[in-house]
Amino acid sequence: MTYATSDTRKSIMQIINTILPMLLLWVAAYWIIPYTVLGAIGLSILAAGFVVRTFIIFHDCTHGSFFKNKRANNIVGFLTGVLTFFSYEKWKREHMIHHATSSNLDKRGIGDIWVMTVDEYINASKWKRFYYRIYRNPFVMFGLGPLYLVLVSNRFNRKDARKKERLNTYLSNIIIVAIISGVILLTNIQSFLIIHGTTMFVAGSLGIWLFFIQHTFEDSYFENESEWDYVKAAVEGSSYYKLPFILQWMTGSIGFHHVHHLAPRIPNYKLEEAHEQTPPLQRATTITLKTSLQSLRYKLYDAPRKHFVAFEDVKRLKTTYDYKIKSSLKSMKKSINPANKV
């Protein structure tokens, strides 16, 4: 694809118009906080937008799309990861898995948001259903989610992580702790919690929302491994999130998510052009700010009918022929499985 080439000048300009304003907003927030806490919080919220944009640079570097040079991608990716509290090698590996398995019902669990099918939910234990309901609650996903992401998920490696990934995460953590310690010594812990806490919380919530909305819409594509198709997963399993210009700019055009999933080597500043110049891509599901709110009710994937449903729909679906048969078959298999016998 002709768009899958980086432009060094545009990449450098994006670093300048993204990271510099973010740092200046933080400096200004720390400068004015002794005089106006609300003013400092306002600047911190504005800085959160630039943190999201910085994350998109980090994201492009993990795909090797921001610069032509691999070393440049790794260096800038690592540094922007530190600024956004992400570990470069860890997230890079998990995100590659996400791209390779997105919308594949048989390969869920790494780099994605937890999605249960209706059948799985019906046959799950009460505890698992309760846990899933808590997980999918908007206040938990977008409220506690950013805290878990920054304090837990991004700080620890998976058990199967290789040495390079582990060392990269350790180094990221050390530098992040050093930066935090320096900021607290120069100011105070209260100011740090108010300013950086606000920024990272808002940015984290926005990031999770973007990731959620780009794969959670009513007719999103999901298939089992035997039927899964990469192109369909990209174009039909990812949405085009149509945002106002300023929000599109702040989010690094990641709303053209279908384009990105189809060709991850396209840098963020060429995604819109690729969408506009490729008519088949314009058939992707379009979501706006208003219609995106509807996705909050979508909790489970109804695999036989190939669309998302709400928890409220489960009672009705349990009475249908499909799910009664499936549930009965699963119960029979469990009853004849030797492993279940004492």
Side-chain angles (χ1 to χ4, degrees), residues 7-24:
D7 183 321
T8 302
R9 184 185 65 83
K10 287 184 177 180
S11 295
I12 291 174
M13 281 302 300
Q14 194 166 72
I15 290 174
I16 293 172
N17 66 30
T18 301
I19 297 178
L20 184 59
M22 179 180 67
L23 296 176
L24 289 175

Side-chain angles (χ1 to χ4, degrees), residues 108-129:
R108 288 165 288 167
I110 298 179
D112 56 9
I113 289 175
W114 185 18
V115 174
M116 287 184 76
T117 65
V118 173
D119 187 56
E120 290 168 342
Y121 183 80
I122 289 174
N123 290 283
S125 65
K126 289 184 178 180
W127 166 247
K128 189 171 184 179
R129 290 199 297 267

Side-chain angles (χ1 to χ4, degrees), residues 61-271:
C61 287
T62 64
H63 283 292
S65 65
F66 199 66
F67 290 109
K68 294 181 177 69
N69 183 275
K70 181 179 179 180
R71 182 177 175 82
N73 280 311
N74 288 339
I75 292 173
V76 173
F78 177 79
L79 294 175
T80 50
V82 168
L83 289 172
T84 55
F85 289 7
F86 277 80
S87 298
Y88 180 70
E89 292 293 342
K90 176 184 185 298
W91 197 83
K92 177 181 179 180
R93 182 172 74 103
E94 293 180 357
H95 193 60
M96 292 302 104
I97 294 173
H98 164 68
H99 271 263
T101 61
S102 180
S103 298
N104 190 323
L105 290 172
D106 295 321
K107 294 185 177 180
R108 288 165 288 167
I110 298 179
D112 56 9
I113 289 175
W114 185 18
V115 174
M116 287 184 76
T117 65
V118 173
D119 187 56
E120 290 168 342
Y121 183 80
I122 289 174
N123 290 283
S125 65
K126 289 184 178 180
W127 166 247
K128 189 171 184 179
R129 290 199 297 267
F130 172 76
Y131 181 70
Y132 184 73
R133 279 179 172 271
I134 294 296
Y135 174 89
R136 298 288 296 199
N137 185 290
F139 293 103
V140 174
M141 185 174 290
F142 308 114
L144 297 180
L147 299 178
Y148 175 79
L149 192 66
V150 170
L151 300 177
V152 181
S153 179
N154 291 346
R155 308 280 67 85
F156 300 97
N157 291 300
R158 297 177 66 87
K159 291 182 179 179
D160 61 347
R162 294 181 179 180
K163 183 178 180 180
K164 180 181 179 181
E165 181 182 328
R166 291 184 181 279
L167 292 177
N168 183 268
T169 300
Y170 299 152
L171 180 59
S172 296
N173 289 343
I174 291 170
I175 294 176
I176 289 171
V177 169
I179 292 174
I180 291 174
S181 299
V183 171
I184 291 174
L185 287 174
L186 287 173
T187 57
N188 56 70
I189 191 168
Q190 183 180 11
S191 295
F192 171 80
L193 291 175
I194 291 173
I195 294 171
H196 260 79
T198 298
T199 296
M200 292 305 175
F201 177 78
V202 173
S205 295
L206 291 174
I208 293 173
W209 169 256
L210 288 170
F211 195 81
F212 167 81
I213 197 62
Q214 287 160 347
H215 293 287
T216 308
F217 47 96
E218 187 173 12
D219 57 349
S220 184
Y221 173 90
F222 278 89
E223 277 291 357
N224 292 106
E225 172 69 13
S226 59
E227 301 294 329
W228 183 82
D229 181 83
Y230 177 83
V231 174
K232 286 186 176 180
V235 181
E236 298 177 22
S238 303
S239 67
Y240 163 34
Y241 197 15
K242 191 174 183 179
L243 296 170
F245 173 77
I246 187 62
L247 292 180
Q248 180 181 314
W249 185 89
M250 198 66 80
T251 57
S253 297
I254 200 61
F256 296 95
H257 210 60
H258 58 302
V259 183
H260 169 65
H261 261 265
L262 183 63
R265 293 301 296 269
I266 298 178
N268 71 82
Y269 45 76
K270 289 187 178 181
L271 291 174

Side-chain angles (χ1 to χ4, degrees), residues 294-311:
Q294 297 172 7
S295 289
L296 290 173
R297 69 182 297 272
Y298 299 139
K299 310 294 186 181
L300 300 160
Y301 192 72
D302 185 357
R305 294 161 187 79
K306 302 186 184 305
H307 62 81
F308 273 98
V309 297
F311 285 130

